[in-house]
């Protein structure tokens, strides 16, 4: 519990980041092979689908960053607390406002799995902040690994200027993602945990992947319903947005969104 301290890792013990990488290998493969991932790889992506993805990311990061803020002084959280460099909530709010308009908060829709994910984040923030380390590492380093490339792909294929609609993928305060990830891993590996606490963090890292797999599966179900209700163009019942997108752009954009979904797993392995 609060026996956690930040100091150099014992040289006889494996780094926490390497242990997380090892215990989540199987979950990583499963995340890549969810039906949602396979469908996206076939080119099945529309603007309404991209909006649903951002809605879930918004709720996940709202819960995660609320709890990190509340526990910023906790000995397990303080070393990996980088709000200036990593915070995603404000960029997601800008993206959602651009895509949905001024009343975007009333249009945020998420599946049940996203709600369960956010409830878990708030629970551990209250009861066991050590476990926030697993979720922060999995989410932030995954998104940071794919963000630079994805932002450029999205801007090019959708004809967007600056970061409108794609601010989530941009980390302007991180000048070198590679060096920053090294720093982040070093800080995380310096957190001293008892054997029991370490085991719980590793278990939570696996659980973080499972939550994301469940979100992917639930989003796929929602997307199937959305396709039937709103059709190819994303108009009709879908909210009006300032974006227009051609069929060819949709096909190209598939690669970007597909990668965005998997960065939660793949980014950890790209360090």
């Amino acid at each position: 519990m609060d026996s956690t301290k930040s100091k150099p890792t014992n040289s006889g013990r494996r780094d926490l980041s390497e242990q997380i990488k090892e215990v989540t290998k199987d979950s990583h493969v499963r995340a890549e092979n969810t039906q949602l991932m396979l469908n996206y790889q076939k080119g099945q992506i529309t603007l309404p689908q991209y909006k649903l993805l951002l809605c879930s990311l918004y709720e996940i990061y709202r819960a995660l960053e609320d709890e990190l803020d509340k526990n910023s002084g906790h000995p397990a959280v303080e070393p990996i607390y980088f709000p200036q460099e990593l915070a995603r909530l404000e960029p997601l709010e800008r993206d959602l406002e651009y895509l949905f308009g001024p009343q975007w908060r009333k249009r945020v829709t998420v599946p049940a799995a996203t709600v369960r994910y956010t409830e878990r984040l708030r629970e551990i923030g209250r009861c066991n902040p050590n476990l926030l380390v697993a979720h922060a590492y999995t989410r932030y380093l995954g998104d940071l690994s794919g963000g630079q490339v994805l932002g450029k792909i999205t801007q090019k294929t959708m004809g967007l200027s600056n970061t409108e609609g794609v601010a989530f993928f941009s980390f302007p305060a991180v000048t070198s993602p590679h060096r920053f990830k090294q720093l982040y891993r070093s800080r995380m590996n310096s957190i001293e945990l008892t054997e029991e606490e370490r085991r719980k963090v590793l278990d939570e890292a696996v659980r973080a992947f499972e939550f994301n797999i469940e979100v992917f599966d639930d989003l796929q179900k929602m997307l199937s319903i959305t396709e039937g209700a709103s059709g190819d163009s994303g108009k009709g019942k879908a909210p009006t947005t300032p974006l227009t997108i051609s069929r060819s752009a949709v096909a190209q954009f598939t690669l970007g969104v597909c990668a965005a979904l998997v960065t939660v797993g793949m980014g950890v392995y790209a360090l």
Side-chain angles (χ1 to χ4, degrees):
M1 304 195 308
D2 282 335
S3 61
T4 310
K5 297 177 183 178
S6 176
K7 65 182 185 181
T9 306
N10 187 315
S11 59
R13 176 184 288 176
R14 292 182 58 197
D15 287 342
L16 181 60
S17 59
E18 288 301 311
Q19 289 184 302
I20 289 177
K21 178 178 178 179
E22 180 177 318
V23 300
T24 58
K25 277 183 180 179
D26 289 344
S27 297
H28 170 227
V29 173
R30 289 180 53 233
E32 286 185 290
N33 288 281
T34 57
Q35 188 60 51
L36 179 62
M37 297 308 311
L38 296 174
N39 285 348
Y40 278 154
Q41 290 169 27
K42 294 174 185 176
Q44 299 170 356
I45 179 64
T46 64
L47 185 57
Q49 292 170 348
Y50 177 54
K51 292 178 181 178
L52 283 177
L53 169 62
L54 290 185
C55 286
S56 278
L57 289 172
Y58 167 74
E59 291 296 346
I60 291 166
Y61 272 110
R62 185 158 71 104
L64 176 60
E65 293 181 359
D66 277 353
E67 298 309 319
L68 289 173
D69 290 345
K70 292 174 186 175
N71 291 283
S72 60
H74 187 278
V77 174
E78 189 276 333
I80 51 95
Y81 183 64
F82 292 93
Q84 275 193 312
E85 292 85 355
L86 296 177
R88 297 292 85 200
L89 190 60
E90 194 271 338
L92 280 164
E93 290 176 342
R94 294 205 311 270
D95 287 343
L96 290 169
E97 182 172 5
Y98 181 72
L99 293 167
F100 285 103
Q103 302 301 313
W104 65 269
R105 293 181 192 275
K106 298 179 180 179
R107 298 183 174 184
V108 170
T109 303
V110 299
T114 301
V115 176
R116 291 193 296 272
Y117 193 171
T118 60
E119 288 176 346
R120 176 59 179 172
L121 290 169
R122 296 195 183 282
E123 176 189 3
I124 63 177
R126 291 191 305 270
C127 305
N128 195 349
N130 286 351
L131 303 184
L132 290 172
V133 173
H135 291 275
Y137 179 64
T138 304
R139 279 245 55 99
Y140 284 125
L141 267 66
D143 293 328
L144 180 60
S145 293
Q148 302 298 312
V149 174
L150 295 179
K152 292 178 181 177
I153 291 175
T154 307
Q155 286 176 317
K156 182 177 180 180
T157 57
M158 298 187 74
L160 301 174
S161 60
N162 299 319
T163 60
E164 290 181 318
V166 291
F168 170 73
F169 301 116
S170 178
F171 291 79
V174 178
T175 55
S176 170
H178 176 69
R179 286 198 297 270
F180 184 84
K181 286 184 288 185
Q182 288 181 319
L183 169 65
Y184 193 98
R185 291 179 69 188
S186 175
R187 290 282 193 92
M188 186 177 75
N189 292 334
S190 77
I191 300 169
E192 184 173 301
L193 300 167
T194 66
E195 287 302 323
E196 177 67 11
E197 290 169 341
R198 179 173 289 243
R199 183 189 63 77
K200 288 181 179 180
V201 169
L202 295 175
D203 288 345
E204 193 69 22
V206 174
R207 193 167 185 177
F209 270 82
E210 294 302 316
F211 275 121
N212 280 280
I213 290 170
E214 291 172 8
V215 170
F216 293 166
D217 288 341
D218 269 18
L219 277 173
Q220 177 59 39
K221 295 172 187 175
M222 288 182 69
L223 298 180
S224 298
I225 296 172
T226 302
E227 276 184 354
S230 60
D232 244 1
S233 65
K235 295 181 180 179
K237 293 186 179 181
T240 302
T241 78
L243 290 177
T244 57
I245 181 169
S246 68
R247 291 174 184 266
S248 62
V250 166
Q252 296 171 33
F253 186 54
T254 300
L255 296 175
V257 174
C258 175
L261 284 164
V262 211
T263 46
V264 65
M266 294 188 68
V268 173
Y269 295 84
L271 299 180

